[in-house]
Amino acid sequence: MRTASSKRERRVGNWFPIEQDVRYKILYGRDITETRPGKTWKISSAAVWFTTETILSVGLPVELSMCGRTLNDFLPAELVIYGCVLGSTDKVLR
């Protein structure tokens, strides 16, 4: 799960409550060590909060992918995001 302090939240702009199934991959260089399911909780233009099965270490590089539809709702699209874990908690999000 990605967490942030209130200062960090202000820096990443507006948050949107988007719940979407995702797959995340833990990256070590060019190697992928794990691929697991998760779910977004909220998204901004600079960060994503998402749930995970296990607590992820701060600084861990990850790839997050989610499927959706294009604006014309005809062709499927996949959004892939690369980044690092900024925070983690064992709290349940509701």
Side-chain angles (χ1 to χ4, degrees):
M1 234 178 276
R2 190 220 171 270
T3 62
S5 70
S6 59
K7 286 183 182 179
R8 190 176 293 151
E9 283 189 60
R10 284 193 296 269
R11 286 188 298 217
V12 295
N14 296 326
W15 288 99
F16 300 95
I18 298 172
E19 292 186 21
Q20 173 76 38
D21 291 330
V22 295
R23 300 281 309 165
Y24 66 94
K25 298 175 184 177
I26 298 173
L27 308 173
Y28 288 102
R30 294 179 186 246
D31 297 329
I32 298 170
T33 60
E34 294 180 46
T35 300
R36 299 202 175 207
K39 188 172 201 100
T40 62
W41 182 51
K42 59 184 180 176
I43 298 175
S44 79
S45 62
V48 177
W49 287 46
F50 65 99
T51 61
T52 61
E53 295 174 343
T54 59
I55 295 175
L56 301 179
S57 299
V58 172
L60 192 66
V62 294
E63 174 187 304
L64 186 70
S65 61
M66 61 182 84
C67 292
R69 298 215 174 259
T70 59
L71 291 177
N72 64 7
D73 203 28
F74 180 69
L75 298 172
E78 181 177 25
L79 174 64
V80 179
I81 303 166
Y82 295 93
C84 291
V85 175
L86 298 179
S88 191
T89 182
D90 60 356
K91 293 180 182 176
V92 175
L93 302 176
R94 296 187 194 270

